[in-house]
Amino acid sequence: MRKGQYQFVTGFLLAPVALYLIFVIWPYLQTIGYSFTDWKGQSQTFGFVGLDNYAALLEDNVFLQAIWHNILFLVFIPVITILLALFFAFMLNAGGRGGAGGVTGIQGSGFYKIVYFFPQVLSLAILAVLFGAVYRSDQGGLLNGLLVKAGLVDAGRPVEWLNEPSLVLWCLLAVVVWHGVGFYLVLFSAAMQSIPKEIYEASLLDGAGRAQTFFRVTLPLLWESVQTSWVYLGITAMDLFVLVSTMTSGQFGGGPDHHSEVMATVLMRNFLYFGKSGYACAMGVVMLLLTLILSVVTLRATRRERIEF
């Protein structure tokens, strides 16, 4: 590359890199610095407290409970979402009957892709309102209405979906999975369409069934897409602030009695409501570290030799 080309490329990169440093890296550095202080948020005067905020986190039962809830989401959200998306994508691309045209998806696969992807066009605010109506704790709620009509629930004692400690996390999990399956279905479908049909046809001619074809052919060839999806879903499971804060009870959500708390809701409550901004920054640093560790561990644990076709 000639000297003039270096200057041309550098000129184009200078502005994006500067914006990234100002609006992404610098706020991270500020947050790390504030986490070692007793900053109250409103005042510009604060004192250095060292690791006191991090020591307090180890004794904060609400925050520790929130970490446990994030871990549960971290386990179930990627597993359920990816399994459903893979199953639906396989059926839509290679689940039809083989014929003269070769391996095809089920009939109407194009329509199903639109239906499954539809939740992705809804914002989280709309999603919260929609499922707030689904989980209403009276007969006006969709679930309770169906259960009452089916005679499975007494009309005078409907299920408190979002106020029942043993149910609230699973209700939120269902919303996240419903919202995410369509996107990853389209992602996996695009990857499957790049796989030559001859590979499927050869496996079927050799006597392989649909299940064997999926696990021996499709999944290995899609592993890089699955790996990337796992990381993104893991990052989603570490946040969930908007959904929890809008759908559950309590200041910034987390109810009932902290049974749906996630780290982000505890952080925002301490930052905006209690005025413990330095302490909240320490929570943010912990979230950042856990997310980075999650990404690195996931990428290394799921690393496989790339398969060419």
Side-chain angles (χ1 to χ4, degrees), residues 109-211:
S109 59
F111 172 74
Y112 290 128
K113 288 179 184 178
I114 296 174
V115 172
Y116 287 130
F117 190 76
F118 175 73
Q120 281 294 311
V121 306
L122 302 177
S123 68
L124 288 177
I126 296 176
L127 202 66
V129 173
L130 175 64
F131 276 90
V134 172
Y135 291 135
R136 273 181 55 179
S137 56
D138 55 34
Q139 294 187 54
L142 178 62
L143 282 180
N144 276 322
L146 292 175
L147 292 175
V148 169
K149 291 291 185 183
L152 299 176
V153 170
D154 186 359
R157 300 179 60 186
V159 180
E160 299 276 349
W161 297 102
L162 296 177
N163 292 315
E164 179 61 43
S166 61
L167 294 177
V168 61
L169 286 179
W170 300 108
C171 292
L172 294 171
L173 173 67
V175 176
V176 177
V177 171
W178 183 83
H179 182 253
V181 164
F183 174 81
Y184 293 99
L185 180 151
V186 173
L187 177 66
F188 296 148
S189 293
M192 286 182 188
Q193 288 172 3
S194 67
I195 300 174
K197 296 294 184 182
E198 292 79 6
I199 296 178
Y200 287 120
E201 293 168 359
S203 64
L204 293 176
L205 288 174
D206 288 340
R210 296 294 183 183

Side-chain angles (χ1 to χ4, degrees), residues 5-162:
Q5 292 176 319
Y6 276 117
Q7 294 175 346
F8 180 78
V9 172
T10 302
F12 268 98
L13 291 177
L14 187 60
V17 171
L19 290 173
Y20 185 79
L21 291 173
I22 294 171
F23 294 106
V24 178
I25 301 300
W26 178 241
Y28 277 127
L29 296 177
Q30 281 186 309
T31 301
I32 294 172
Y34 285 137
S35 70
F36 297 106
T37 69
D38 59 358
W39 181 44
K40 303 300 181 184
Q42 299 297 326
S43 173
Q44 293 300 319
T45 59
F46 47 83
F48 181 77
V49 297
L51 297 175
D52 288 354
N53 288 329
Y54 293 96
L57 288 178
L58 299 177
E59 300 177 357
D60 190 336
N61 292 329
V62 175
F63 186 69
L64 295 177
Q65 186 178 14
I67 292 178
W68 173 243
H69 294 161
N70 277 111
I71 292 174
L72 290 178
F73 284 131
L74 183 61
V75 172
F76 288 103
I77 288 176
V79 171
I80 298 175
T81 303
I82 289 175
L83 287 178
L84 289 176
L86 281 172
F87 172 75
F88 291 139
F90 182 75
M91 294 302 295
L92 294 180
N93 289 276
R97 294 182 178 179
V103 176
T104 60
I106 61 175
Q107 187 174 4
S109 59
F111 172 74
Y112 290 128
K113 288 179 184 178
I114 296 174
V115 172
Y116 287 130
F117 190 76
F118 175 73
Q120 281 294 311
V121 306
L122 302 177
S123 68
L124 288 177
I126 296 176
L127 202 66
V129 173
L130 175 64
F131 276 90
V134 172
Y135 291 135
R136 273 181 55 179
S137 56
D138 55 34
Q139 294 187 54
L142 178 62
L143 282 180
N144 276 322
L146 292 175
L147 292 175
V148 169
K149 291 291 185 183
L152 299 176
V153 170
D154 186 359
R157 300 179 60 186
V159 180
E160 299 276 349
W161 297 102
L162 296 177

Side-chain angles (χ1 to χ4, degrees), residues 240-283:
L240 297 178
F241 170 74
V242 174
L243 203 62
V244 175
S245 63
T246 52
M247 290 190 64
T248 59
S249 59
Q251 188 73 29
F252 296 103
D257 194 25
H258 305 297
H259 280 87
S260 62
E261 291 282 9
V262 291
M263 288 184 286
T265 58
V266 182
L267 185 156
M268 293 303 294
R269 187 180 302 112
N270 279 276
F271 189 89
L272 297 176
Y273 189 69
F274 296 134
K276 301 166 64 175
S277 302
Y279 186 55
C281 288
M283 294 182 184

